[in-house]
Amino acid sequence: MWIVTTVAGDLRAGCVVGFATQTSIEPRRFLVCLSKANHTYRIAERARYLAVHLLTTDTASLAELFGSETGSRIDKFEHCEWHEGPHSLPILTATTGWLTGEILQRNDFGDHVGYLLTPTFAHAPAVCTAPLRYKTVADLPTGH
C-alpha cells in the first residue's frame, strides 16, 4: 500500500492507494492510480507532481488517517508529521521510503485515473521492514 500526496496552488491532499507499480527501467517510469471519487484526485488533476510514499506495518496509523478520512472534511496534514519536500510536495516523515515524480500522462482506467510519473527525487529506506499489504487495511472505512 502507498500514500500519494500532492499540492496544487495552496491546496494539499493525500490518500491511500493500492494500485502503483514501476513500469519501465529506462526511461524510469512509475504508475500510480487514484480513485475518481477521491478528494486527492481533484487536487492531482491540477498538479504537476506527486509524491508516493511506501507504507509498512509500522505506518498502519497513517494508512488509517489517509484512507479513512477525506481531505474535503479535514486537513489530514494537521494530524501527522510532514515536511515540505521537492516541488513543495508534502512528505510524510514516518514513511519508510518515498519518491516524487513529474506527471507525464493521465490515463482514464474506469473508476481510477493512472498517473504516469517520471521520478525526480527518491528516499530509500535505511532499514527494510515489512510492507503494508491490502489485507491489513481492507476493512477500513473509506473517506469517500
Side-chain angles (χ1 to χ4, degrees):
M1 299 301 295
W2 309 81
I3 292 178
V4 170
T5 61
T6 193
V7 63
D10 60 350
L11 299 174
R12 288 186 310 262
C15 66
V16 170
V17 298
F19 306 123
T21 189
Q22 179 180 340
T23 60
S24 175
I25 296 170
E26 191 58 42
R28 292 183 181 190
R29 298 289 186 260
F30 195 85
L31 179 72
V32 62
C33 298
L34 298 177
S35 169
K36 292 178 183 178
N38 200 304
H39 173 74
T40 302
Y41 161 75
R42 292 189 293 279
I43 305 304
E45 281 297 287
R46 297 180 289 178
R48 186 172 170 198
Y49 299 95
L50 300 177
V52 184
H53 304 77
L54 176 63
L55 289 174
T56 64
T57 54
D58 298 337
T59 55
S61 61
L62 280 177
E64 185 172 355
L65 172 63
F66 280 85
S68 295
E69 298 292 341
T70 176
S72 59
R73 292 194 191 123
I74 71 163
D75 182 350
K76 297 176 192 180
F77 300 96
E78 289 182 359
H79 302 278
C80 66
E81 291 186 34
W82 65 279
H83 66 274
E84 188 174 295
H87 316 296
S88 301
L89 290 165
I91 302 298
L92 304 174
T93 306
T95 57
T96 302
W98 52 267
L99 67 87
T100 60
E102 183 174 11
I103 300 168
L104 297 179
Q105 292 178 357
R106 292 169 170 89
N107 298 294
D108 190 324
F109 294 140
D111 60 358
H112 283 68
V113 169
Y115 292 81
L116 184 64
L117 307 177
T118 186
T120 56
F121 293 92
H123 172 74
V127 177
C128 291
T129 58
L132 187 66
R133 303 283 185 196
Y134 175 74
K135 67 180 181 179
T136 305
V137 298
D139 294 332
L140 288 176
T142 59
H144 270 294

